[in-house]
Amino acid sequence: MEILWVLMALVMLGFVLLQLSRRRRGAVGLVPPGHPDAADPANYGFAREEELDVRMPGPDQDLLDVLDLVQRSQDYRGAQQLLAGTEVAGERRWQRVQAFAGAASLELRQRPGGVGQTPGGQWLRVWRAEVPKDAGGAAVHAEFLVQQAWRTATPGTDDFRIIMEEARAACGEAALLAPGDPLPYIVELSVARGLGYPREEFEQLWLKILDRAPHHMGAHLAALQYWCEKWHGSRDLAYSFAEAAAARAPQGSLLAALPLFAVFEHLPEVNLVAGFYQSEVVTKAVHGALHAVHSARPDDPMQAHVRHLLVFFLVRGERWAEAMNQLTVIDGHVGALPWTLSADPAAEFAVYRALAVAGYEANGGSPATLPH
């Protein structure tokens, strides 16, 4: 009986010491809204959860205006003109092609058509029919087919393969229309992953992209997926690909952040090692990404992708002030990894943002001390 009391006393002492240790380290947790200890993101000028834009990782007002016009009028010409005026090998054109294709795919999902009903995304069909030699429309159509395959069919099934083969043919047509354009080949990277191109064939495709846009961040992110363990590579191959790209990245390139994406794609299901997010491999990748965003052009459209992933790792690593610095730049948009993997990207982002605010304030921060 005395032994039992001793054991109970030790357990209680351990619990008290744990709580004291957590307080000293500034440990935080979520509490219900309205709780006296609740940190309020609104104090920092952050958008409310229901105002977060899940469509894009960062602002592109021209794209939003054109998307709204196209979907209201069902007239493709605004999209055609916007793409024609966007730099061919630039990151923004890739994002805009994805956005137009995604809008058409979502419309079709909402309005699949039927007796007496026009299917959604009809403007894209009209675009391809009326201007079959328009390179922008061909690229959007190819990306549309890729997104349809991933959204409506299961990899490995006949339905998936049929749509992906159609997408592969569409990529080839788009490439013939614009021989110097890297975009059709970048779209094909998702086809290569879905159909499981042999490595030699994939590397030939990758060389075509490197010839046209050797430092294209979006292309590298798409290619990284192929080399990941869950697809056709391994952890080592993915890390090697990312680290090689970072090593050859020119000054101001966001490719220095690619290893952080490789780490994210291979996160363990359960972190058995204490302090995983403060480990050397994570810390090194985070520092590379921080350097990348600090040295990149302020208007680089891929910055938002890197900053969103940084928020995830910085919060997990309890680097609250650094997480807050990223949030001041990207808040308002959540259309990026890791949030888009959630069924509710806005809610997932809001949880991490609340943790960042709480951790920042628990360690003496306030709206007055946060640089903007």
Side-chain angles (χ1 to χ4, degrees), residues 85-101:
T86 307
E87 182 188 358
V88 170
E91 306 280 359
R92 195 171 297 280
R93 187 163 177 265
W94 166 228
Q95 292 190 1
R96 288 173 171 176
V97 164
Q98 286 183 304
F100 287 131

Side-chain angles (χ1 to χ4, degrees), residues 126-314:
V126 174
W127 187 356
R128 293 295 294 129
E130 291 188 354
V131 201
K133 293 187 178 180
D134 180 62
V140 173
H141 180 238
E143 174 65 19
F144 166 81
L145 291 171
V146 167
Q147 294 195 26
Q148 281 294 99
W150 291 110
R151 289 178 177 177
T152 65
T154 303
T157 64
D158 287 343
D159 288 344
F160 182 84
R161 181 182 54 78
I162 290 169
I163 302 173
M164 276 299 188
E165 289 290 359
E166 188 179 354
R168 184 178 190 174
C171 289
E173 292 174 16
L176 290 174
L177 291 171
D181 188 350
L183 202 46
Y185 302 105
I186 297 174
V187 175
E188 192 179 348
L189 289 172
S190 290
V191 178
R193 174 163 56 97
L195 293 179
Y197 282 20
R199 288 185 182 176
E200 183 179 351
E201 186 176 358
F202 182 86
E203 288 170 348
Q204 290 173 355
L205 171 62
W206 183 239
L207 287 175
K208 293 177 182 178
I209 295 170
L210 292 182
D211 286 343
R212 293 162 175 80
H215 308 303
H216 197 289
M217 181 67 172
H220 280 79
L221 289 175
L224 176 64
Q225 290 292 318
Y226 178 91
W227 295 113
C228 286
E229 190 173 62
K230 60 187 175 184
W231 287 107
H232 310 293
S234 66
R235 179 191 301 266
D236 289 342
L237 286 171
Y239 279 20
S240 295
F241 174 79
E243 288 165 1
R248 66 172 182 268
Q251 179 65 27
S253 169
L254 286 167
L255 287 176
L258 200 62
L260 188 64
F261 287 85
V263 170
F264 177 76
E265 293 295 341
H266 295 87
L267 288 177
E269 293 277 341
V270 178
N271 295 329
L272 299 178
V273 180
F276 172 80
Y277 290 93
Q278 293 92 22
S279 65
E280 182 180 355
V281 64
V282 173
T283 299
K284 181 181 177 182
V286 166
H287 286 170
L290 286 169
H291 171 75
V293 296
H294 289 155
S295 60
R297 297 191 330 267
D299 63 344
D300 190 322
M302 294 302 292
Q303 269 215 47
H305 288 274
V306 179
R307 291 184 185 277
H308 279 288
L309 197 61
L310 274 169
V311 169
F312 172 87
F313 279 98
L314 291 171

